[in-house]
Amino acid sequence: MARQIDHLVQVVKKPNITIQVLPFEQGLHSMLGGSLTLLSLKNGAEVGLVESFKTGHPVESPKKVVELVQIFEMACSKAFSEPESLEVIRGYLKEYGK
């Protein structure tokens, strides 16, 4: 586990990567129970990939992608800032003995 956490600490240094921790204390939010990937394609199109425990499906409708972006932004607003998130991640790295 320490290697995985250390990997997060390393990749967050890249300018195109953002990691934010959304603590359980924030309570229920619309992204529980699954994951969301938002992609901006070279042709300018945006696509979402919504995955849950049993399914996964692409979302290409511009209206639905906008809804996904809003859901994502709401979750980000509840998450720790990037520096705070990195501090939390480094704390876990210390716990796992690195």
Side-chain angles (χ1 to χ4, degrees), residues 3 6 8-9 13-14 16 22-23 29 33-36 41 44-45 47 53 57 67 71 76 88 90 93 95-97:
R3 285 179 45 202
D6 186 54
L8 293 175
V9 171
K13 294 175 184 175
K14 296 182 180 184
N16 62 328
L22 180 56
H29 57 83
S35 67
L36 170 62
L41 306 179
V47 177
F53 298 109
H57 65 278
E67 290 173 7
I71 289 169
C76 287
V88 169
R90 284 187 174 131
L93 186 58
E95 282 185 36
Y96 283 99

Side-chain angles (χ1 to χ4, degrees), residues 17-18 28 48 65 82 87:
I17 294 182
T18 301
L28 297 176
V65 170
E82 291 179 63
E87 188 175 319

Side-chain angles (χ1 to χ4, degrees), residues 36-82:
L36 170 62
T37 303
L38 297 168
L39 304 169
S40 297
L41 306 179
K42 288 183 180 181
N43 67 2
E46 292 188 338
V47 177
L49 178 61
V50 179
E51 297 178 283
S52 67
F53 298 109
K54 292 185 178 184
T55 64
H57 65 278
V59 175
E60 297 179 17
S61 161
K63 181 178 178 181
K64 292 188 185 274
V65 170
V66 167
E67 290 173 7
L68 293 176
V69 169
Q70 290 172 340
I71 289 169
F72 178 76
E73 288 175 349
M74 180 59 71
C76 287
S77 74
K78 293 182 173 192
F80 290 141
S81 68
E82 291 179 63

